[in-house]
Amino acid sequence: MGSEAVRNKKVVLKQYVEAGRSPRESDVEVVATETVALAIPEGSPPAILVKNLYLSCDPYMRGRMTKHDTPSYIPDFTPGSVITGLGVSRVVESTHPDFIVGDLIWGITGWEEYTLLVSNLGSFFKIRYTDLPLSYYTGLLGMPGFTAYAGFSQVAQPKKGERVFVSSASGAVGQLVGQLAKRMDCYVVGSAGSDEKVDLLKNKFGFDEAFNYKQETDLDAALKRCLPEGIDIYFENVGGRMLDAVLPNMRTHGRIPVCGMISQLNLEKPDPVHNLFCLLIKQVRMQGFLVSEFYHLYREFEDEVVQLIREGKITYVEDVAEGLENAPAALVGLFSGRNVGKQLVVIARE
Amino acid sequence: MGSEAVRNKKVVLKQYVEAGRSPRESDVEVVATETVALAIPEGSPPAILVKNLYLSCDPYMRGRMTKHDTPSYIPDFTPGSVITGLGVSRVVESTHPDFIVGDLIWGITGWEEYTLLVSNLGSFFKIRYTDLPLSYYTGLLGMPGFTAYAGFSQVAQPKKGERVFVSSASGAVGQLVGQLAKRMDCYVVGSAGSDEKVDLLKNKFGFDEAFNYKQETDLDAALKRCLPEGIDIYFENVGGRMLDAVLPNMRTHGRIPVCGMISQLNLEKPDPVHNLFCLLIKQVRMQGFLVSEFYHLYREFEDEVVQLIREGKITYVEDVAEGLENAPAALVGLFSGRNVGKQLVVIARE
């Protein structure tokens, strides 16, 4: 590519989102920067220049939109600077020995057309199954899918035939958790926020039962209706009221992998949870995890799930926004549950 | 003993204690029953008749004093009937092949002078170190001590030099947790409800730091003062506000064995906990346990702690009430923290 000149459209954070409110489209903006020389600068440490193809909209990004006085587990975004997040990219120039032009990779990149990457290059995964839709590497075969796999197999440690409940079940993580659980002959119930999503759970992803939590006046009653014998594994994606309702329904030696608490992300003061005593009397293990702890298992996961995809044994639903112009709406929509399935943004298809 | 006639004084529950209030002395009463024949009835299944020596007052007994609509992990007491609980007893008659007259045992017996035991005899432990004070088998060498050992070694899985916080630290469980942690070169901080108890923690049990939670207006500030680098292991005995203050102070990969939530036992609606999001961002494991899961390790524990006692490397403080007449006050006092150290009742010393 050398020093070819291109424009580089990007999504920047306009201002921090205060704790206690949902992000709005106006909190981010799409900026069409001036034409720039597209090249790795002379004298740069080993680097790669990538063309970004698919961007992943993930719930954890909400935390980065708010300023924290004490550092969180991942840095805050900087107003005026490009948003970063997981994406699928193609290497267009490389001075780094591990990458060559044409490599397809996934990892943390910029929400922009081209990104120069000079650090943390070891955190990128090369995409080995390039015949599958590349967008899958923002979801089913990327971080969310691997989160489902690691959280279910490594943290929940399921046994055949157990009773599994998944919240936010039609989302990027939940849909795979449910299908992995069914493959272990578990009885699987999911909750979601619309009748359309409930229909997906039952008729596409093969959940045994599902309910629309927005239509239930009594979550405890809904859980008892769907899981009268209680819950061995609660795959926790939402937190708050749902978690509090689940706790008294846990069975002895139950496990709660804590993967997300999306209902809590926009609250200044998180919802109260009253029923933790149930952890004691039911000897329940509740465990927070970050997928990065398990990345040594990624290739094993990738091979296994690719095989299931090829055999038609895994279904996957994604919600695709076209173009960077639609990225702000896609990102913000995640926090009101507007997406159906994995939310991603296509910048370019190749 | 044959059919010798004795009186058999006992403590009975007069009425259920409603959820939402502390038990009062008037909820239980000491009844001097008529003189009864002291013998295993003819035609009885294999049984033992025991003379009860020491009774253990334990927080979990609060739950048994309230009527539950759905069964809890342990049955409710029955009004008008003798209270049961852990104690040290001597076998005075036996028709069971595993026991002979003179055996000293600990396990669930009646709060009375003599008890006829016909079922669950397999749950009793024979006391092997009869040269040590037998009362130790209601505490340091009994269920509470073993709870400390199992919860710390098996559930918390400590590493050398970690930062450990123990609530209710001068109690039967807490005092041993702290000392076991110090033996692993941990930095150990405890909380308790009086200056006298705080003094015990620092000057008798060897805690590095301790505070009186009743004197602290801001528990978070107290924790940050004593543990500025955060907490690797929180041995949870109290629940509620303390747990909520601890959560943001947990370190990455911290562990919270949930052993008790004594502050919550008298509440109809448990205190809210808001900070569970910290489980996720710090990848914390919070795990309820019951000591009975670990009883296969009891003899190993007993040998190890007896050795430490003989070498003067473990200290133990007990609060001894004399006679069944004082049992109601001893039991009730537990829930306001009146006891200093392990609360027990002596019925007879041999």
Side-chain angles (χ1 to χ4, degrees):
Chain A
M1 304 286 279
S3 57
E4 186 190 344
V6 296
R7 83 207 153 121
N8 190 19
K9 213 186 298 177
K10 56 180 69 178
V11 182
V12 303
L13 183 71
K14 270 171 78 177
Q15 67 245 332
Y16 282 123
V17 180
E18 310 90 76
R21 73 162 173 89
S22 299
R24 294 187 280 261
E25 282 191 49
S26 56
D27 295 321
V28 288
E29 67 180 332
V30 182
V31 180
T33 56
E34 290 170 23
T35 301
V36 293
L38 190 65
I40 296 172
E42 265 189 55
S44 161
I48 57 177
L49 185 69
V50 300
K51 181 178 182 188
N52 297 311
L53 307 179
Y54 298 93
L55 299 177
S56 178
C57 299
D58 293 298
Y60 80 87
M61 297 171 79
R62 173 63 187 86
R64 305 190 68 187
M65 300 175 85
T66 294
K67 186 167 176 53
H68 291 85
D69 296 329
T70 51
S72 185
Y73 68 104
I74 187 164
D76 303 335
F77 292 137
T78 308
S81 292
V82 66
I83 283 178
T84 57
L86 290 163
V88 170
S89 311
R90 183 161 52 78
V91 175
V92 294
E93 191 183 348
S94 173
T95 57
H96 192 288
D98 293 349
F99 298 89
I100 59 168
V101 171
D103 276 351
L104 289 158
I105 60 176
W106 74 265
I108 295 276
T109 188
W111 278 39
E112 58 194 343
E113 291 172 287
Y114 292 92
T115 303
L116 178 68
L117 296 160
V118 289
S119 57
N120 287 325
L121 292 180
S123 72
F124 280 86
F125 289 97
K126 286 200 195 174
I127 291 173
R128 296 185 304 168
Y129 297 96
T130 54
D131 57 320
L132 290 172
L134 292 176
S135 63
Y136 281 21
Y137 283 88
T138 65
L140 183 58
L141 293 171
M143 184 277 285
F146 184 55
T147 298
Y149 178 87
F152 189 64
S153 70
Q154 303 298 306
V155 183
Q157 299 177 326
K159 296 184 201 70
K160 219 170 148 73
E162 286 194 314
R163 294 158 187 84
V164 176
F165 175 59
V166 189
S167 53
S168 198
S170 70
V173 176
Q175 49 179 280
L176 184 56
V177 173
Q179 292 179 86
L180 292 174
K182 281 313 299 174
R183 295 189 59 75
M184 285 201 66
D185 296 327
C186 292
Y187 186 82
V188 185
V189 175
S191 65
S194 75
D195 292 344
E196 179 190 5
K197 293 178 186 178
V198 166
D199 183 66
L200 269 184
L201 293 177
K202 291 205 266 194
N203 299 316
K204 190 160 178 77
F205 299 129
F207 283 59
D208 295 290
E209 202 39 90
F211 64 90
N212 176 351
Y213 72 90
K214 290 180 181 168
Q215 299 292 326
E216 301 286 344
T217 50
D218 181 344
L219 293 177
D220 177 65
L223 290 167
K224 288 195 163 54
R225 185 181 72 231
C226 296
L227 291 145
E229 294 176 78
I231 300 166
D232 294 299
I233 295 174
Y234 169 44
F235 201 97
E236 161 55 49
N237 283 316
V238 302
R241 281 196 324 127
M242 185 65 89
L243 173 58
D244 216 15
V246 165
L247 284 166
N249 287 290
M250 290 301 292
R251 290 164 62 87
T252 298
H253 290 125
R255 286 133 282 150
I256 304 179
V258 181
C259 173
M261 292 197 171
I262 196 169
S263 75
Q264 304 301 293
L265 296 179
N266 292 324
L267 304 177
E268 188 161 8
K269 190 169 175 69
D271 283 335
V273 172
H274 292 93
N275 294 323
L276 289 171
F277 198 72
C278 301
L279 296 182
L280 175 55
I281 58 179
K282 297 289 181 61
Q283 302 141 70
V284 170
R285 187 178 77 225
M286 186 168 172
Q287 186 168 354
F289 72 101
L290 294 180
V291 67
S292 48
E293 302 175 73
F294 299 101
Y295 272 152
H296 58 283
L297 301 174
Y298 175 74
R299 291 304 182 192
E300 184 181 306
F301 151 81
E302 187 191 21
D303 291 343
E304 190 174 323
V305 174
V306 165
Q307 182 68 22
L308 293 172
I309 294 169
R310 294 205 200 284
E311 292 170 0
K313 291 180 177 163
I314 287 274
T315 305
Y316 179 52
V317 172
E318 50 188 20
D319 193 330
V320 182
E322 292 287 336
L324 272 179
E325 291 73 13
N326 291 310
L331 177 59
V332 166
L334 201 63
F335 303 101
S336 58
R338 210 186 50 187
N339 56 306
V340 177
K342 166 66 194 175
Q343 181 67 62
L344 64 107
V345 179
V346 190
I347 308 182
R349 287 196 158 75
E350 58 177 352
Chain B
M1 303 287 278
S3 58
E4 186 190 343
V6 296
R7 83 210 150 121
N8 190 21
K9 214 186 294 180
K10 57 180 69 178
V11 181
V12 303
L13 183 70
K14 270 170 77 175
Q15 68 244 333
Y16 282 121
V17 180
E18 309 89 76
R21 72 162 172 91
S22 299
R24 294 186 280 260
E25 281 191 49
S26 56
D27 294 321
V28 288
E29 67 181 333
V30 182
V31 179
T33 55
E34 290 171 23
T35 301
V36 293
L38 189 66
I40 296 173
E42 264 189 57
S44 161
I48 56 176
L49 185 69
V50 300
K51 181 179 183 187
N52 297 311
L53 307 180
Y54 299 92
L55 299 177
S56 178
C57 298
D58 293 298
Y60 80 88
M61 297 171 78
R62 173 64 187 86
R64 305 191 67 186
M65 300 174 85
T66 294
K67 186 166 177 54
H68 291 85
D69 296 330
T70 51
S72 184
Y73 68 104
I74 188 164
D76 303 336
F77 291 137
T78 308
S81 292
V82 67
I83 283 177
T84 56
L86 291 162
V88 170
S89 311
R90 184 162 52 80
V91 176
V92 294
E93 191 182 347
S94 173
T95 57
H96 191 287
D98 292 349
F99 298 90
I100 58 167
V101 171
D103 276 350
L104 289 158
I105 61 176
W106 73 265
I108 296 275
T109 187
W111 278 39
E112 58 195 342
E113 291 172 287
Y114 292 92
T115 303
L116 178 68
L117 296 160
V118 289
S119 58
N120 287 324
L121 292 180
S123 71
F124 280 86
F125 289 97
K126 285 199 197 176
I127 291 174
R128 295 186 304 168
Y129 297 96
T130 53
D131 57 321
L132 289 172
L134 292 176
S135 63
Y136 281 22
Y137 282 88
T138 65
L140 183 59
L141 293 172
M143 184 277 284
F146 185 56
T147 298
Y149 178 87
F152 189 65
S153 70
Q154 303 298 306
V155 183
Q157 299 177 324
K159 296 183 200 69
K160 220 171 148 74
E162 286 193 315
R163 295 157 187 83
V164 175
F165 175 58
V166 189
S167 54
S168 198
S170 70
V173 176
Q175 50 178 281
L176 184 57
V177 172
Q179 293 179 85
L180 292 174
K182 280 312 300 173
R183 295 189 58 76
M184 285 201 68
D185 295 327
C186 293
Y187 186 82
V188 185
V189 176
S191 66
S194 75
D195 292 344
E196 178 190 5
K197 294 178 186 178
V198 166
D199 183 67
L200 268 184
L201 293 177
K202 291 205 267 196
N203 298 317
K204 190 161 176 77
F205 299 129
F207 283 58
D208 294 291
E209 204 37 92
F211 64 89
N212 176 351
Y213 73 90
K214 291 181 180 167
Q215 299 291 325
E216 301 285 345
T217 49
D218 180 345
L219 292 177
D220 178 65
L223 291 167
K224 288 196 164 52
R225 186 180 73 230
C226 297
L227 291 145
E229 294 176 78
I231 299 167
D232 294 298
I233 295 174
Y234 170 43
F235 201 98
E236 161 56 49
N237 284 315
V238 302
R241 284 198 319 129
M242 184 66 88
L243 173 59
D244 216 16
V246 164
L247 284 165
N249 287 290
M250 290 302 291
R251 289 164 63 87
T252 298
H253 291 125
R255 286 134 282 151
I256 305 180
V258 180
C259 173
M261 292 197 170
I262 195 171
S263 77
Q264 304 301 293
L265 296 180
N266 292 323
L267 304 176
E268 190 161 7
K269 191 171 173 65
D271 284 334
V273 172
H274 292 94
N275 294 322
L276 289 170
F277 198 72
C278 300
L279 296 183
L280 175 55
I281 58 180
K282 298 289 182 60
Q283 302 142 71
V284 170
R285 188 178 76 223
M286 186 166 170
Q287 186 169 353
F289 71 100
L290 294 180
V291 68
S292 47
E293 302 175 74
F294 298 101
Y295 273 152
H296 58 285
L297 301 174
Y298 175 73
R299 291 303 183 193
E300 185 181 304
F301 151 81
E302 186 191 21
D303 291 342
E304 191 175 323
V305 173
V306 164
Q307 182 69 19
L308 293 171
I309 293 170
R310 294 205 199 283
E311 293 170 0
K313 290 178 176 163
I314 287 275
T315 303
Y316 179 52
V317 172
E318 52 188 19
D319 194 329
V320 182
E322 292 287 337
L324 271 179
E325 292 73 14
N326 290 309
L331 177 60
V332 165
L334 202 64
F335 302 101
S336 58
R338 211 185 50 187
N339 57 306
V340 177
K342 167 65 193 175
Q343 180 68 61
L344 64 107
V345 178
V346 190
I347 307 182
R349 288 194 156 75
E350 59 177 356

